[in-house]
Amino acid sequence: MKRGLGAVMRSAVICGALGVLVACNPVVRNHGFIPFQEDLDRIVIGQDSRESVAGIVGPPTAGGVLAGGDYYYVASQFRHYGAVAPVEISREVLAIRFDGAGIVRNIERFGLEDGRVIVLSRRVTDDNIADTTFIRQLLGNVGRVNAADFIGEN
């Protein structure tokens, strides 16, 4: 009977170790959309418009900031590994640029190696209240109440 218990314990340890190993396998997740090359080959630079491009390759992932801006298609792959934060392992950006008349001017591809880290500026608007809490503001008005304000006399 002792031998059977040892075999069960050994099996449990082996199953637990296999479970840990399987749980630590990286999971790759795809985000975004890049049109197929066959569809991009159908776009004629200097002839196609925004509407025809959207009809050929689909709506863009993002558009330019200005009205009538360029089209951007973005696809990324992230590796998730256990409890560690996901890591971006690849990124591709396809930019379709238009001229002022809305006609395709250029098609460009960018990868993760072409990207730059941009530091965001955190500008906070000051509330002009010097370390005063809401309760302190309420209690600060206790002595300033005038009964004439409530009964309507001047």
Side-chain angles (χ1 to χ4, degrees), residues 1 8 20 24 27 55 58 70-71 74 110 119:
M1 186 175 255
V8 170
V20 168
C24 290
V27 175
D70 302 330
Y71 284 178
V74 182
F110 302 99
V119 179

Side-chain angles (χ1 to χ4, degrees), residues 14-120:
I14 290 172
C15 287
L18 286 174
V20 168
L21 288 175
V22 169
C24 290
N25 283 338
V27 175
V28 176
R29 294 197 177 158
N30 297 313
H31 300 271
F33 164 72
I34 292 286
F36 297 114
Q37 187 61 43
E38 302 85 46
D39 294 335
L40 292 173
D41 292 340
R42 294 176 35 207
I43 298 174
V44 179
I45 295 176
Q47 289 183 353
D48 280 310
S49 66
R50 283 185 177 81
E51 293 78 22
S52 65
V53 168
I56 293 171
V57 297
T61 303
V65 179
L66 302 174
D70 302 330
Y71 284 178
Y72 298 98
Y73 298 87
V74 182
S76 298
Q77 284 187 331
F78 289 88
R79 183 181 66 223
H80 298 261
Y81 191 75
V84 179
V87 176
E88 188 173 19
I89 55 176
S90 74
R91 178 188 320 134
E92 185 177 358
V93 177
L94 176 77
I96 300 178
R97 306 214 184 259
F98 299 95
D99 61 13
I103 303 300
V104 176
R105 179 179 52 150
N106 196 8
I107 299 174
E108 299 173 286
R109 286 186 186 269
F110 302 99
L112 188 59
E113 64 279 357
D114 298 320
R116 291 181 287 157
V117 176
I118 299 173
V119 179
L120 298 177

Side-chain angles (χ1 to χ4, degrees), residues 132-145:
T132 305
T133 64
F134 178 71
I135 300 295
R136 183 170 292 193
Q137 289 177 21
L138 285 176
L139 294 177
N141 290 326
V142 170
R144 299 182 191 170
V145 176

